[in-house]
Amino acid sequence: MSQLSLSRWEVPGSESFEAGRLLERQFDAASPTLVLLVTAGSGSVDDPAVREAGLALTAELAAEPAVRQADSYWLRGGSPTLRGEDGRQALILASLNGTVTEARTALAELSPRYMRDNGLLKVEVGGQDEIFRQTATLARQDFVRAEIIILPGVALLLFLVYRRFRATALTIFTGLYAMVGTLAGLAGIVSFTEVSTFALNLALVMGLGLGIDYGLFMITRFREELAAGRSAEEAVIRSAGTAGRTVLFSGVTVAAACAVLFVFPFPFLQSFAWTGVLVVLFGLIGSIIIMPAWLAILGGRLARRRMASTAERMARTGRWSRYARHVMKRPGLYGASAAVALLLLASPVLGLRFGLPDHRVLPPDASSRVVEDQKNANFIAEETDAIRIVAPAVSDPASLTAAIADYAARLSLIEGIVQVDSLAGSYADGRLAIEPSGWHERFAGSGGGTFWNVIPSGAAIGERASEIVREVRSAEAPFDVLVGGYPADLTDFRDALLDRVPLALALIFATTFILLFLMTGSLLLPLKATVLNMLSLTIMFGALVWVFQEGNLAGLLGFTPAGSVEPSIPILMFCIAYGLSMDYEVFILSRIKEEYERSGDLEHAVAAGLQKSGSLVTTAAGILAFTFAAYAFGDVVFLKMLGVGMTLAILVDATLIRAVLVPAFMKLAGRANWWLPRPLRAVYDRFGISEGGPDAVARRPLVH
């Protein structure tokens, strides 16, 4: 999958994006994304031998075909923002040619070559492109490590469930088919759109997890039909018409939830939308097209070693049935207790704070993370995170140096700004700090126009990057300007992301509500499912805040808390977790509805439906949670978040939500569960879907 892409945090059409394009076209300038941290072997970076070696290293880097532009402390004449406070370290900055994928591919060759220590100079490589190149590399390593852990673990869990090797192998085949099919599909999609390298990780966990879930549902129903005395052929037909129908319906629900990610105009998130849709597609092909053929071939060799006499007896005496009836004796007490417990678990979400990603997504020993930590400790400013302001329409900037200087001086007074470089010199604290020199001439374009380099402190950019960007944008400018640079890119990315959230929520709620209505023929049950899913997801977000924002369990999981949560990962997790929650809701409700259509007795239907689906759903949830949990101890914080958050959401959803709140709610709602206004009955009669078969709609007692 070498064609997969890497993404920068850019929003096409945004102010920061347009500023970046203008800087490249008009000034041949780009934000530095590669950093060489140079440490003098002895003495100071101002020693003549070190200075000469530093200039030679700058020239060597600038001559690389992949490098657009290189700058350094020595080339700039001693800028304090590029010199460590101890005098022993200095920075070389570079911007790279090509797309982000081309740049980071070149870095894979440049980075090890420029990491050197010859006694006079020690050179280490960092910068944003190197940070995220290493992040992608570690994510691929996490993929391989997770695969090594997941496959044997899942095989063992399935064998403990089935006690049959053939059933275990057939289910794993379905998961592998979904995973490999998804990877093949992504290989085709990269021919017409960008696909993030991180899609590989999601393809593994969702492909295996959902494929195995669907295979488990099909084989369990097949075994149930065999236990009821049906022949293998009859059992296959019944399984395909009941469980197969529900698997199809569930898959459509999960795919719809993942497809909502297409509303975000970022290849990073759209990659996960493609992945989710492909996972479902190949999971459905494997479970409802390929698997029935194998069920017919293997027949009784997949049956339980000790089969119950009838499904009805199992439903009447099973522990899930007894448990459900126990909950329904005191539904208010159990429902309220579970809700209070869940709300307490979710309470940290009240402190959720969205922030911007930085080098702390990497483990502490990653080389680019080490460079950034040294920069933060020893440099007064974060030059690679400079805000760049461009005024493209100034025809003769040399004649307007007074206005340019005044603007630079006022910008340097903004809290958190260390220095502002401009055509008129460099300013700090409202005063001229460095007289204009030949180096400052780069701030004027040959065909007109000028720009400013606004350099924040490392502490300020880490704590309030978006606030600084907004203050810079609100400052009165003498010309029409656009504000860009890495902090502005991140700010515009976050704002554009959050602006699309209401639309994404509306689509996911409306789509799943309609699908559940078509399955249940009820208005209350889809509403109940939406509320319970939101409660489950709130707990997931509460865990993200408690663990990754506040830093609890940081030592155990091996990461450094950032004090905030980068928003794109929670949005991704929301869509996936919402779809998976509806997945289990569909399987439980389908069995409850089937029993209700048969008997018309709500309490019996809930007890029997949970008996037939409870163990299956908890087993499926345990396997899916295990696949996500494999990433909890990976190297990349983004994947740790995915692993911890999704594991918790799945387990809570399959236990407290489905096992307690669902039976309690349905008992309290009574016949209102199936309430349906007359105008909608015709819609449901025509388009409704039932696991009990096409004639089940006519059998079910409806409430108007």
Side-chain angles (χ1 to χ4, degrees):
M1 301 293 285
S2 59
Q3 309 98 321
L4 297 183
S5 302
L6 299 162
S7 299
R8 291 193 177 105
W9 309 96
E10 296 175 331
V11 183
S14 66
E15 180 179 350
S16 59
F17 185 85
E18 294 305 318
R21 302 290 80 76
L22 283 170
L23 283 166
E24 290 180 7
R25 289 198 307 266
Q26 202 162 338
F27 305 94
D28 194 28
S31 295
T33 55
L34 172 63
V35 174
L36 300 187
L37 175 64
V38 181
T39 305
S42 61
S44 163
V45 293
D46 294 312
D47 292 347
V50 175
R51 180 179 184 278
E52 183 179 350
L55 286 170
L57 183 61
T58 306
E60 180 186 352
L61 182 63
E64 295 284 354
V67 174
R68 173 194 294 269
Q69 190 177 67
D71 195 6
S72 70
Y73 167 73
W74 303 280
L75 193 63
R76 200 179 287 188
S79 171
T81 61
L82 297 179
R83 183 180 188 272
E85 292 186 278
D86 64 1
R88 297 191 62 244
Q89 291 183 316
L91 299 179
I92 298 175
L93 309 178
S95 55
L96 302 177
N97 290 314
T99 66
V100 60
T101 301
E102 292 168 344
R104 293 176 188 172
T105 300
L107 261 180
E109 187 271 329
L110 286 175
S111 180
R113 191 148 53 79
Y114 278 87
M115 293 181 68
R116 59 185 70 167
D117 188 350
N118 59 13
L120 181 62
L121 299 179
K122 178 183 178 182
V123 184
E124 298 167 274
V125 181
Q128 294 302 331
D129 272 347
E130 179 66 0
I131 288 170
F132 288 104
R133 183 191 72 82
Q134 291 190 358
T135 299
T137 300
L138 290 175
R140 284 191 285 268
Q141 293 174 6
D142 285 347
F143 172 90
V144 175
R145 187 186 304 118
E147 195 170 23
I148 293 171
I149 295 171
I150 289 171
L151 283 175
V154 166
L156 177 61
L157 290 172
L158 286 172
F159 186 78
L160 292 175
V161 171
Y162 287 134
R163 307 288 180 174
R164 292 279 192 178
F165 173 77
R166 292 181 181 88
T168 299
L170 183 56
T171 307
I172 290 178
F173 166 78
T174 307
L176 289 174
Y177 180 84
M179 183 186 77
V180 174
T182 300
L183 295 178
L186 291 175
I189 288 171
V190 296
S191 64
F192 61 86
T193 188
E194 292 184 25
V195 177
S196 170
T197 55
F198 291 98
L200 291 174
N201 302 88
L202 190 63
L204 168 63
V205 291
M206 282 194 71
L208 277 178
L210 276 182
I212 287 171
D213 277 5
Y214 293 160
L216 183 64
F217 294 144
M218 289 292 292
I219 290 179
T220 300
R221 185 64 188 238
F222 178 70
R223 286 177 145 195
E224 186 179 317
E225 298 298 338
L226 290 177
R230 293 184 174 87
S231 67
E233 182 179 349
E234 291 173 328
V236 170
I237 295 171
R238 289 278 301 177
S239 298
T242 55
R245 186 192 298 262
T246 303
V247 165
L248 176 61
F249 190 87
S250 171
V252 172
T253 305
V254 175
C258 292
V260 167
L261 291 167
F262 282 122
V263 306
F264 298 99
F266 312 117
F268 178 70
L269 286 176
Q270 291 183 353
S271 297
F272 295 116
W274 284 115
T275 303
V277 171
L278 288 172
V279 160
V280 170
L281 173 63
F282 286 100
L284 292 177
I285 292 172
S287 60
I288 65 178
I289 296 178
I290 298 175
M291 180 170 280
W294 281 105
L295 296 179
I297 292 170
L298 296 173
R301 285 171 287 183
L302 297 175
R304 296 184 182 91
R305 294 188 183 275
R306 299 168 66 181
M307 294 190 295
S309 58
T310 63
E312 287 76 12
R313 180 181 175 188
M314 181 184 67
R316 186 170 60 252
T317 61
R319 64 180 182 273
W320 280 95
S321 175
R322 293 194 300 271
Y323 174 76
R325 291 181 185 278
H326 185 70
V327 169
M328 288 187 288
K329 286 180 180 178
R330 297 180 178 84
L333 174 63
Y334 283 104
S337 299
V340 169
L342 291 171
L343 289 173
L344 287 174
L345 289 173
S347 59
V349 78
L350 298 175
L352 176 62
R353 178 174 177 264
F354 286 125
L356 304 176
D358 59 26
H359 60 285
R360 287 171 290 186
V361 302
L362 288 171
D365 59 349
S367 61
S368 58
R369 163 79 183 269
V370 171
V371 170
E372 294 302 312
D373 286 339
Q374 290 184 68
K375 283 170 54 187
N376 289 341
N378 195 32
F379 288 77
I380 62 173
E382 190 65 55
E383 178 115 5
T384 53
D385 286 339
I387 299 168
R388 296 193 153 197
I389 305 173
V390 58
V394 178
S395 58
D396 184 14
S399 66
L400 299 169
T401 53
I404 292 170
D406 178 66
Y407 185 43
R410 286 187 286 108
L411 289 171
S412 70
L413 292 172
I414 294 175
E415 182 182 356
I417 300 302
V418 173
Q419 181 174 299
V420 179
D421 299 323
S422 71
L423 179 64
S426 298
Y427 287 77
D429 297 322
R431 298 185 299 273
L432 182 65
I434 302 176
E435 293 285 345
S437 63
W439 179 81
H440 291 92
E441 293 176 3
R442 69 178 59 198
F443 291 96
S446 58
T450 188
F451 71 99
W452 295 257
N453 217 33
V454 182
I455 306 168
S457 69
I461 206 66
E463 294 173 0
R464 45 187 300 270
S466 294
E467 289 83 351
I468 292 175
V469 169
R470 292 188 175 95
E471 288 182 47
V472 168
R473 283 176 169 167
S474 64
E476 184 178 354
F479 320 108
D480 291 332
V481 298
L482 294 173
V483 176
Y486 186 63
D489 287 336
L490 288 175
T491 298
D492 289 345
F493 177 86
R494 189 186 72 170
D495 291 347
L497 192 70
L498 296 179
D499 285 346
R500 294 293 183 104
V501 167
L503 174 60
L505 290 177
L507 286 174
I508 200 169
F509 291 154
T511 302
T512 54
F513 189 95
I514 292 170
L515 289 171
L516 279 180
F517 160 72
L518 293 176
M519 190 196 84
T520 62
S522 165
L523 292 183
L524 184 61
L525 291 179
L527 179 61
K528 178 266 300 180
T530 300
V531 172
L532 294 186
N533 281 2
M534 288 302 299
L535 182 56
S536 174
L537 297 184
T538 302
I539 292 169
M540 179 182 72
F541 289 132
L544 293 183
V545 172
W546 191 77
V547 176
F548 294 97
Q549 180 175 308
E550 298 177 1
N552 297 289
L553 306 182
L556 175 64
L557 296 175
F559 70 94
T560 304
S564 61
V565 177
E566 193 279 317
S568 65
I569 299 301
I571 289 172
L572 165 67
M573 292 168 64
F574 174 87
C575 292
I576 296 173
Y578 194 90
L580 294 177
S581 295
M582 282 297 182
D583 186 43
Y584 298 135
E585 179 80 7
V586 165
F587 278 98
I588 290 175
L589 280 182
S590 66
R591 299 311 297 260
I592 292 174
K593 180 170 175 283
E594 184 180 355
E595 292 297 325
Y596 185 64
E597 289 168 349
R598 181 180 295 119
S599 68
D601 183 335
L602 175 65
E603 190 166 327
H604 166 78
V606 173
L610 274 179
Q611 176 59 38
K612 292 181 177 181
S613 62
S615 294
L616 177 61
V617 166
T618 52
T619 299
I623 291 172
L624 189 59
F626 176 74
T627 63
F628 276 104
Y631 283 123
F633 294 94
D635 290 321
V636 179
V637 170
F638 292 152
L639 296 178
K640 289 179 187 287
M641 292 171 64
L642 188 68
V644 171
M646 292 299 300
T647 299
L648 181 63
I650 291 167
L651 293 179
V652 167
D653 187 81
T655 53
L656 286 175
I657 299 290
R658 306 300 161 200
V660 180
L661 288 179
V662 167
F665 177 91
M666 295 193 76
K667 174 63 176 178
L668 290 171
R671 286 177 61 80
N673 281 300
W674 313 106
W675 177 77
L676 187 64
R678 283 190 180 277
L680 291 177
R681 180 176 180 180
V683 176
Y684 178 68
D685 287 345
R686 180 175 178 82
F687 300 106
I689 302 171
S690 170
E691 182 164 308
D695 58 337
V697 173
R699 296 198 308 265
R700 179 176 60 80
L702 292 170
V703 179
H704 306 294

